[in-house]
Amino acid sequence: MAELADLRITRLGEPRYDSPLAAFVAGRRTNEHYVSEDDRVLYHDTVSDLDGRAPDPHSWPSFEPGGPRRRLFFAPTRTKVGIVTCGGLCPGLNDVIRAIVMELALHYGIGEATGFRNGYLGLTPAGPDPVRLTPEVVHHINQHGGTMLGTSRGSQDAEVMVDRLVELGIDILFVIGGDGSMRGASKVVAEVARRGLEIAVIGVPKTIDNDIPFIGQSFGFVTAFSRAAQSISVAMVEAQAAVGGVGLVKLMGRHSGFIACYAALANHEADFVLIPEVPFALDGPNGLLNCLHQRVKERGSAVVVVAEGAGQDLLELSGATDESGNARFADIGVHLRDSITRYFAEQGSALTLKYVEPSYAIRSVRPDPHDAVYCLRLAQSAVHAGMAGRTDMVVGRRHNRFIHVPISLVISERYSVAPDGDLWMAVLEQTAQPVDMTL
Ligand code: ATP
Ligand code: MG
């Protein structure tokens, strides 16, 4: 559990400039637009969590709120900004890029930013040249999925990346990426500090699996599970139309099964949900194969939703990794497909199995309106934080407030579905699958 000290945000120095935002709301010059530097967003939202704490709320764990500051560290109009997107695709990357550029231009008078291409590779001499990002360049990019800057995996040297930032005179670097990208960002921060430079590094956490802690829901997640729910519907329609119909849907979720849970709950159509956090067996009375066979006998068809990281203990792992060092997972979807096919044949039961794997069709889409708004507001919060001289932090949202979270905290653990929590309980109630499928 985080304490107040863990939630402290690093500042490059005392603010030096007045924000131009007051001028922006001309005719209505008001303080209300600004976030008070004394305000905090409470970490806890449950009374029992606060039992035994000192009565002064200022001593309670709390986050620095996001939002525009009256006084800035970096000069409006003159600050140089870099943007990089790293890791896998996720709906909303272009929306975040666009909103950063527009916020800089419209509110801080900074008419262009430097777009580093293909992830951290673009911050090294070996990478592609950067691109100029102006409001004109980014104007329509949110009409497309993906990232206009491209992305990459693979390790880059923080010293080399900081050399590049210095060479280009970058004052603020925005990193839009996942847990690995934030580890990379943390190394850039350390190198910047070692050299005593005044360069801010601000993260906008990107994880389609929603597995980054402390930031609330990640952008693109709602879009992703909405699309995934459509795939579950497709699988169900196929299964219901067939003799011995089984729809098998493999979704994203390497370590955290949020997409599988939410997509299954969204349309009430899944009979079994399998996630990395909850082990299951194939054999045995409560194992998947027997339960699925029973369900098809009772109802004529069934739908199984499996997250890509589920049941890895049932498979032989190759030990292979991707360029960033992440373990390559064995294919649980194919393994289930083959096991189900074999089992139904052994039982002499008819089976028509439809295997649906929509991952790429989900990662590459534009965000839905909910996520589009969220991307925009996260990006605005990130720009405000950077201009105010914050560094070594990411933006997130808690209790409906935008917040600043130290990078060290978001890479300290992974957010996952609690097997004894209310989300998983909701899934168990909806699917009526056995609570313990290993027995
Ligand atoms: P996702 O997992 O959602 O696709 P990610 O940001 O975790 O996104 P990775 O490929 O793991 O994706 O990492 C992105 C970039 O961050 C890569 O260039 C990778 O080399 C770098 N990176 C990852 N882990 C570290 C680390 N521990 N130290 C420095 N750089 C890292
Ligand atoms: Mg990752």
Side-chain angles (χ1 to χ4, degrees), residues 166-218:
V166 171
E167 184 191 336
L168 294 172
I170 300 291
D171 299 302
I172 308 173
L173 176 67
F174 293 102
V175 179
I176 312 165
D179 56 332
S181 308
M182 294 311 146
R183 289 196 169 83
S186 164
K187 292 194 174 148
V188 172
V189 169
E191 180 60 19
V192 164
R194 195 182 67 78
R195 297 190 198 181
L197 300 172
E198 290 181 344
I199 300 176
V201 179
I202 306 287
V204 182
K206 171 233 60 148
T207 154
I208 203 164
D209 293 347
N210 195 37
D211 59 359
I212 295 185
F214 303 106
I215 58 159
Q217 220 162 48
S218 54

Side-chain angles (χ1 to χ4, degrees), residues 78-146:
R78 297 199 304 275
T79 298
K80 291 190 103 179
V81 170
I83 305 176
V84 63
T85 53
C86 322
L89 293 184
C90 173
L93 288 165
N94 275 336
D95 292 62
V96 175
I97 297 168
R98 182 185 193 279
I100 290 174
V101 172
M102 298 307 284
E103 182 69 17
L104 287 166
L106 294 175
H107 290 176
Y108 290 102
I110 299 165
E112 71 170 78
T114 301
F116 293 104
R117 287 161 62 206
N118 292 116
Y120 287 137
L121 183 65
L123 273 150
T124 72
D129 288 339
V131 287
R132 263 181 88 225
L133 298 174
T134 61
E136 294 72 35
V137 171
V138 301
H139 197 254
H140 296 296
I141 62 170
N142 59 325
Q143 293 175 7
H144 306 282

Side-chain angles (χ1 to χ4, degrees), residues 153 178-180 326:
R153 299 198 190 271
D179 56 332
N326 304 303

Side-chain angles (χ1 to χ4, degrees), residues 246 289 292-293 296 340-351:
V246 170
L289 297 174
L292 176 63
H293 189 246
V296 175
I340 294 167
T341 305
R342 195 173 355 96
Y343 187 80
F344 275 61
E346 284 166 10
Q347 303 299 314
S349 301
L351 171 73

Side-chain angles (χ1 to χ4, degrees), residues 2-21:
E3 288 301 321
L4 193 55
D6 308 326
L7 305 175
R8 201 155 287 143
I9 298 296
T10 308
R11 302 179 184 198
L12 288 173
E14 286 302 310
R16 308 177 282 204
Y17 306 95
D18 280 334
S19 169
L21 290 184

Side-chain angles (χ1 to χ4, degrees), residues 281-293:
L282 289 177
D283 302 316
N286 280 334
L288 176 71
L289 297 174
N290 179 48
C291 294
L292 176 63
H293 189 246

